[in-house]
Amino acid sequence: MSKKEALLKAAENKVRLGGYSNFSFRELASEIGIKSASVHYHFPTKADLGAELAHQYTNAFLNALGSPSEHLANGKNPIEVYTQLFRSALLFDKKMCLCGLLGAESDSLPEKVRFEVKRFFNQNLEWLTEAHLANGEQQPKHAAIQTVSLLEGAMMISKTLDDNSYFELATQPA
Amino acid sequence: MSKKEALLKAAENKVRLGGYSNFSFRELASEIGIKSASVHYHFPTKADLGAELAHQYTNAFLNALGSPSEHLANGKNPIEVYTQLFRSALLFDKKMCLCGLLGAESDSLPEKVRFEVKRFFNQNLEWLTEAHLANGEQQPKHAAIQTVSLLEGAMMISKTLDDNSYFELATQPA
DNA sequence: GTCTATAATTTGATAGAC
DNA sequence: GTCTATCAAATTATAGAC
C-alpha cells in the first residue's frame, strides 16, 4: 500500500468515527510514520484529501455492490445485497457510513467535499431505483429513497445506542 | 432571553449545521456580545455546554411532541404528528436534527454528551412504540425503530442533496 | 457576571534543503 | 517524497481584577 493510500485509509477511519474535523494532517502523518508537511505533497489542502477520500469511498462502495441484474441472475434480491453491505460496515468495521456522516455535516463542509458526498447518494439512489424496478415494484424511486434513508438512519441509531439489534430490527420486514 | 439561553441557542444553530466541533466558545461569545472567558462562567467546559444543549433539545422536542393518547383523542395519527415535527425542522429551521448529527459522530463525543444523545433516542423510541401500539400495529417496537430511522435518514439525505422532495417521498406511504 | 490577560496546545499551511 | 523549521490563527481553559 502506497503512502497516499495509507493516508486515505487512516483518514477514513477517523472520519467514519467523528466526521470531517476528526482528523488532522499531523495525526495522519504520525500514524503512517511521516511528517505533516509530507502529507501536503500528496494532498495540497485538507479539502483535497476529504474530496478524494469521499470519491474513492464512493467508487469502492459501488464496486462492492456490483449490479442489480447480476444479483438477480444469481437468484439474489439486490435489496438484500445492498442491505448486507451496510450491515457489514456496522458489524465488521464498527463504523458509520462515511458519506452518511459527511452528509449530516454537509452544510459545514468545503464545497468539493460536499460535491463528492452528493455523488455518493445520487449514485446509490440510481442503483436502488434500478433494483426496486427489477423487483417489479410500482414506485421504484419512492422505494429507493426509503431504502437508503432507513439504512442510514438505522446505522446511526445503532451506533448511538451501541446495540446492533436496532439495525436488525429496522431492516427486518414487517 | 438570558445570556445562558442565548449561548445555547447560538450553539444549537452551529451544531445542527456542522456537529460538535462546529462551534467554539469565542464564536458563541462574539455572537451574543460577551467574551469567551464569560462563557466559561455559564458552562465550565465545552462538554458541559454540549451535554446541556442536547438535554434541553431533548426536553423541548418531547414537550413539542405531546403524548400519543392526546393526539388520538383529537383524531390525529400520532405518527403523522411525529413526522410533522421532523418536517418542520427541515423546512423551517433548514437544519438537521441536533441528535441525529451528534449521534452520527457519537464515537468521538465526550461521554456526557453521548449520554444525552442516547437519552434522546431512547425517549423517542419509547414514544413511538406507544404510538404504534395505540395504532393497533402488531410489532410496535419494530415499527418505532423503523419510523425514527427513516426520518433521520431522509432528513440527512434531503439536506445533503439540498432537495426537500426527498423527505416528502421518503415519508409518503407506498 | 463580565472583563483583561495569558497559557498551552493544535491546526492548516508554506519555504526551502536534501 | 520527505524533511526541518516556522508561521499565523484558532481553540479550550484559567487566574485574578472589577
Side-chain angles (χ1 to χ4, degrees), chain A:
Chain A
M1 186 163 56
S2 71
K3 291 282 170 66
K4 185 168 179 171
E5 289 168 330
L7 286 169
L8 287 171
K9 192 68 214 161
E12 180 187 326
N13 288 333
K14 305 245 183 224
V15 175
R16 289 178 64 187
L17 290 175
Y20 184 73
S21 65
N22 201 41
F23 78 92
S24 74
F25 274 31
R26 268 183 168 73
E27 279 178 317
L28 299 190
S30 162
E31 250 177 63
I32 72 158
I34 61 175
K35 298 294 176 180
S36 78
S38 305
V39 181
H40 285 278
Y41 167 79
H42 298 285
F43 307 97
T45 69
K46 183 172 179 174
D48 291 318
L49 195 162
E52 193 158 331
L53 174 61
H55 188 85
Q56 295 203 13
Y57 182 86
T58 300
N59 286 355
F61 193 88
L62 292 172
N63 192 60
L65 267 183
S67 73
S69 59
E70 156 201 340
H71 299 305
L72 284 167
N74 293 341
K76 284 187 283 190
N77 181 345
I79 303 303
E80 290 294 323
V81 174
Y82 187 86
T83 301
Q84 185 56 36
L85 200 52
F86 271 76
R87 180 178 287 113
S88 294
L90 182 65
L91 301 188
F92 297 106
D93 301 351
K94 300 183 197 306
K95 292 183 185 69
M96 279 290 296
C97 165
L98 181 94
C99 291
L101 219 171
L102 291 179
E105 32 183 29
S106 199
D107 279 311
S108 69
L109 294 179
E111 205 285 334
K112 61 167 61 176
V113 181
R114 182 167 42 227
F115 176 85
E116 296 296 339
V117 179
K118 283 187 180 184
R119 177 176 166 260
F120 175 86
F121 286 109
N122 281 321
Q123 296 274 84
N124 272 258
L125 287 170
E126 202 176 291
W127 195 98
L128 283 168
T129 301
E130 188 185 331
H132 281 292
L133 183 65
N135 276 0
E137 296 175 43
Q138 295 296 332
Q139 296 173 289
K141 278 191 179 181
H142 194 135
I145 175 69
Q146 288 182 341
T147 297
V148 64
S149 294
L150 186 75
L151 289 174
E152 288 285 359
M155 204 172 186
M156 181 271 289
I157 290 171
S158 289
K159 283 230 47 81
T160 301
L161 297 181
D162 196 23
D163 184 343
N164 296 332
S165 70
Y166 288 103
F167 183 86
E168 299 307 330
L169 213 53
T171 56
Q172 185 183 318

Side-chain angles (χ1 to χ4, degrees), chain B residues 6 25 34 65 68 76 89 91 108 112 137 150-151 154 166-167 173:
Chain B
F25 274 31
I34 60 175
L65 266 183
K76 285 186 283 189
L91 301 188
S108 70
K112 60 167 62 175
E137 296 175 45
L150 186 76
L151 290 173
Y166 288 102
F167 183 87

Side-chain angles (χ1 to χ4, degrees), chain B residues 7-23:
Chain B
L7 286 168
L8 287 172
K9 192 69 212 160
E12 181 187 323
N13 288 333
K14 306 244 182 222
V15 175
R16 289 178 63 186
L17 290 175
Y20 184 73
S21 66
N22 200 41
F23 78 92

Side-chain angles (χ1 to χ4, degrees), chain B residues 88-107:
Chain B
S88 294
L90 183 65
L91 301 188
F92 297 105
D93 301 351
K94 301 182 197 308
K95 293 183 184 70
M96 280 290 295
C97 165
L98 181 96
C99 291
L101 219 171
L102 291 179
E105 25 180 37
S106 198
D107 278 312

